[in-house]
Amino acid sequence: MTSSEQALLAARPDFAAVARWVSQGARVLDLGCGDGALLRYLWEAREAPGYGVEIDDAEVVACVRNDINVLQLDLESGLLLFRDGSFDTVILSETLQTIHRIEQLMREMLRVGREAIVSFPNFGHWTARMQILLGRMPVSEELPYEWYNTPNVHLCTTTDFEDLCRKLGIRIRERVALHEGRQISFLPNLFGSIAVYRCAMV
Amino acid sequence: MAQKARFDAPLKLRSGAELPGFELTYEAYGELNAAKSNAVLVCHALNASHHVAGYYAGREDEIGWWDNLVGPGKPLDTRRFFVIGVNNLGGCHGSTGPMSVNPATGKPWGGDFPVVTVEDWVETQARLADHLGIERFAAVMGGSLGAMQALQWTLSHPERIRHSLVIAATARLSAQNIAFNEVARQAITTDPDFNGGHYYDKGVVPVRGLRIARMIGHITYLSDEAMMGKFGRQLRRAALGFDFDIDFEVESYLRYQGDKFSSYFDANTYLRITKALDYFDPAADFDGDLSAAVARAEAAFLVVSFKSDWRFAPARSRELVKALLDARKIVSYLEIDAPGGHDAFLMDDARYFGALRAYFGNIEL
């Protein structure tokens, strides 16, 4: 592993968890791909060719600079450009909380991909629960915004997410909870600050 | 400096007509490297020419039409790339066209010059590439009608193009697009000075038709927002005149644009270029299935559209992107939120030019 990869994994511990579930050479679609760092990592670690979808101008230009195939599209209007089953894995990495129409997007992800990998900040983490208990909206490293300026519209806990999957007929194949880069197996909805799920249609 | 290349082998056109031979006027910037791997062809749209960048000594005001993009240190950096601009066949900037002499009659072709298509242009450009010893272009790029050529290159000669930059484009004109072109053509062909296209030897030019055609075209190149921002309802004179002279700034602007254009552009060329636009439809041979049409492409694509462009709206570019994705091609797509309308493709915008600079920077030579 190069030093830049190490630095990347330190900054985004969910990347390694995502990469473990992407098979060698898989066709990957990364929704809300930012500057394409995950796709770059997957290309280097898994030789997985991919596309990123991103709406932000500066991030899209960064993707082009990083030699990532990027499509500047709004996820809220769905994945109309993608044919059924055209990807092995569709990734939604720390983007779920910013999406308005989550149900539609989750269905769309599993229409165009055989599998979906979804990661999000866990609102059920004990520090969030404590802050609510003390009468404040939670602010943390994963959720650094104040209630009045947050771009996040749909925060959830791991239990909430699993309920939604059940409702949509989505099967959870694997899951992992992380905190400060380490895997949490004891009471993950309490001690995991980031949750990563591997899903498929039932 | 403009150069000429002469091709003596007959050219069979899509229409079935044949030209005995032809000349292309072109300009080149930068140096072709030893591996001949750094050539970029820049295709022009409706009214532009081979004069893409820079200016000629003593004519400093005639700056190339894409000079903000092409040059040393610019997004398409001529210190790294060998850039070629060509005046298309049927044009009026030095290449063989309606103003040229028809060898069969010894007179200008005029209205007898055949209708040329995007496919025909790509064939002539390929012959120019042969002439220059370029086997494979690093990239072919263009905006609007120029983008259609960049796309057609990937279909006519998949093995001769590595990257296709398709900007402010559509893979086929809509009925509304064709309608605008038809109004422009009607303006020209109903001008009493048109004479069926044989006006050169009569000492007249269908100026009125051509200027109306240009005025209509110009409206479609700008967004409502851009026009409002530029002119608003600003008056040209102190108060409303209650006559039919110029009241508003926008009227003055359109008349100026029409006058300027009709003083240098040829009406016969204009007619043919609008037909080339109308006829372009690579999916037509595939029952309208664009993804089947692009299946043979091997190039990587960069598709760019502009949100305020209503002539070739972003939805048209997205159709192309979808077809490319369905055909499993390599493609990136940018939808730039610039206010300039269709003409935004000619304007410097940090996001747009930043992306082009980054894209060209990643092309390996």
Side-chain angles (χ1 to χ4, degrees):
Chain A
M1 201 183 292
T2 65
S3 59
S4 68
E5 272 177 53
Q6 273 169 346
L8 183 66
L9 288 181
R12 290 295 302 269
D14 57 321
F15 280 13
V18 169
R20 261 193 312 162
W21 294 332
V22 172
S23 46
Q24 196 75 16
R27 273 176 65 85
V28 179
L29 178 65
D30 184 6
L31 306 177
C33 67
D35 66 0
L38 175 58
L39 284 165
R40 182 99 231 162
Y41 176 71
L42 290 175
W43 175 245
E44 277 158 19
R46 290 282 182 274
E47 289 180 23
Y51 285 92
V53 174
E54 179 57 56
I55 186 88
D56 181 80
D57 288 324
E59 300 280 36
V60 170
V61 175
C63 283
V64 175
R65 194 171 301 118
N66 291 333
D67 219 354
I68 294 298
N69 303 322
V70 65
L71 306 165
Q72 189 166 26
L73 301 169
D74 185 358
L75 291 177
E76 299 290 354
S77 51
L79 304 178
L80 297 169
L81 258 53
F82 306 103
R83 204 174 252 185
D84 294 3
S86 49
F87 289 92
D88 297 307
T89 307
V90 181
I91 300 167
L92 189 67
S93 169
E94 304 225 6
T95 301
L96 179 83
Q97 70 276 9
T98 66
I99 301 291
H100 284 90
R101 301 166 74 183
I102 286 180
E103 287 174 76
Q104 176 194 275
L105 186 61
M106 292 281 291
R107 280 198 201 96
E108 281 283 275
M109 286 173 72
L110 286 167
R111 175 183 67 79
V112 305
R114 287 191 301 108
E115 277 192 358
I117 298 175
V118 180
S119 74
F120 56 89
N122 176 26
F123 213 62
H125 188 250
W126 69 271
T127 55
R129 298 187 193 207
M130 279 299 289
Q131 289 179 69
I132 293 272
L133 208 59
L134 294 170
R136 298 257 175 207
M137 281 299 282
V139 177
S140 67
E141 207 173 304
E142 285 78 22
L143 297 165
Y145 304 98
E146 297 291 346
W147 65 273
Y148 49 82
N149 65 9
T150 179
N152 300 325
V153 292
H154 282 139
L155 292 159
C156 70
T157 71
T158 58
T159 311
D160 292 331
F161 181 76
E162 288 171 22
D163 283 350
L164 176 65
C165 288
R166 205 167 301 123
K167 185 191 157 205
L168 297 176
I170 292 169
R171 182 166 56 98
I172 293 165
R173 292 191 55 186
E174 286 181 82
R175 60 179 183 182
V176 12
L178 302 168
H179 185 65
E180 291 179 345
R182 278 196 310 279
Q183 203 164 318
I184 306 295
S185 38
F186 177 64
L187 295 178
N189 195 23
L190 197 58
F191 295 115
S193 50
I194 295 173
V196 194
Y197 283 83
R198 182 186 193 187
C199 310
M201 252 10 228
V202 170
Chain B
M1 204 61 219
Q3 303 174 67
K4 268 188 195 281
R6 166 94 213 150
F7 303 91
D8 289 320
L11 178 73
K12 182 105 171 156
L13 300 170
R14 189 180 142 196
S15 64
E18 194 174 275
L19 286 177
F22 62 95
E23 273 184 359
L24 291 181
T25 298
Y26 68 98
E27 250 175 59
Y29 319 89
E31 300 281 336
L32 187 61
N33 63 9
K36 300 186 174 178
S37 62
N38 68 335
V40 175
L41 176 65
V42 176
C43 303
H44 69 75
L46 218 154
N47 64 316
S49 70
H50 53 278
H51 183 39
V52 175
Y55 52 81
Y56 312 121
R59 287 157 67 189
E60 282 77 4
D61 54 332
E62 288 172 38
I63 294 170
W65 59 274
W66 225 346
D67 186 73
N68 53 3
L69 181 81
V70 180
K74 294 182 182 173
L76 177 46
D77 191 344
T78 52
R79 291 176 306 200
R80 188 156 178 263
F81 291 100
F82 177 64
V83 179
I84 303 162
V86 193
N87 181 218
N88 283 333
L89 185 73
C92 55
H93 290 98
S95 293
T96 298
M99 295 195 294
S100 311
V101 172
N102 178 353
T105 63
K107 288 180 178 171
W109 284 91
D112 296 333
F113 194 83
V115 167
V116 289
T117 63
V118 171
E119 291 87 338
D120 298 330
W121 287 334
V122 168
E123 277 325 296
T124 62
Q125 291 159 0
R127 289 204 193 175
L128 179 65
D130 295 339
H131 170 80
L132 297 172
I134 297 159
E135 210 165 287
R136 202 171 178 216
F137 281 108
V140 179
M141 83 179 299
S144 190
L145 178 58
M148 291 174 173
Q149 295 159 61
L151 172 58
Q152 185 59 41
W153 257 97
T154 70
L155 310 180
S156 294
H157 298 285
E159 70 295 342
R160 298 191 71 175
I161 164 173
R162 287 158 58 207
H163 295 269
S164 176
L165 288 85
V166 179
I167 301 165
T170 177
R172 64 190 136 206
L173 262 61
S174 68
Q176 188 196 46
N177 294 149
I178 295 171
F180 276 118
N181 283 344
E182 174 58 6
V183 176
R185 283 190 293 266
Q186 282 291 310
I188 291 169
T189 57
T190 58
D191 184 316
D193 287 335
F194 179 63
N195 292 301
H198 297 285
Y199 46 84
Y200 307 116
D201 45 4
K202 298 193 169 59
V204 292
V205 175
V207 170
R208 284 161 292 183
L210 193 53
R211 79 193 271 278
I212 292 170
R214 179 58 172 177
M215 288 163 85
I216 295 159
H218 218 89
I219 298 167
T220 68
Y221 306 149
L222 301 175
S223 66
D224 191 15
E225 187 192 349
M227 272 185 130
M228 205 58 197
K230 198 166 180 178
F231 310 107
R233 293 180 52 85
Q234 211 180 323
L235 290 180
R236 184 77 180 161
R237 44 189 176 183
L240 296 178
F242 295 95
D243 56 21
F244 301 100
D245 267 348
I246 293 174
D247 281 312
F248 296 96
E249 277 291 352
V250 67
E251 296 171 283
S252 161
Y253 173 79
L254 282 181
R255 289 189 194 193
Y256 169 75
Q257 289 294 338
D259 288 339
K260 191 172 83 170
F261 185 70
S262 58
S263 73
Y264 75 83
F265 209 83
D266 178 55
N268 278 321
T269 290
Y270 197 90
L271 288 177
R272 278 154 188 77
I273 288 181
T274 61
K275 274 290 172 191
L277 277 161
D278 291 359
Y279 286 178
F280 185 66
D281 183 6
D285 291 338
F286 295 84
D287 292 327
D289 183 348
L290 188 57
S291 69
V294 299
R296 61 189 186 277
E298 294 171 19
F301 290 83
L302 178 66
V303 179
V304 182
S305 74
F306 300 91
K307 283 199 172 138
S308 58
D309 181 356
W310 58 277
R311 186 183 169 96
F312 297 160
R316 301 287 81 76
S317 285
R318 273 185 246 125
E319 284 167 5
L320 173 61
V321 171
K322 175 161 177 48
L324 292 168
L325 287 169
D326 286 350
R328 300 208 160 188
K329 303 300 164 191
I330 295 172
V331 54
S332 280
Y333 172 58
L334 271 72
E335 202 167 294
I336 308 282
D337 193 6
H342 188 58
D343 266 355
F345 86 84
L346 292 166
M347 297 168 197
D348 189 350
D349 172 284
R351 299 157 291 183
Y352 168 42
F353 274 23
L356 291 181
R357 183 183 288 278
Y359 192 86
F360 278 115
N362 281 331
I363 295 180
E364 286 170 22
L365 301 183

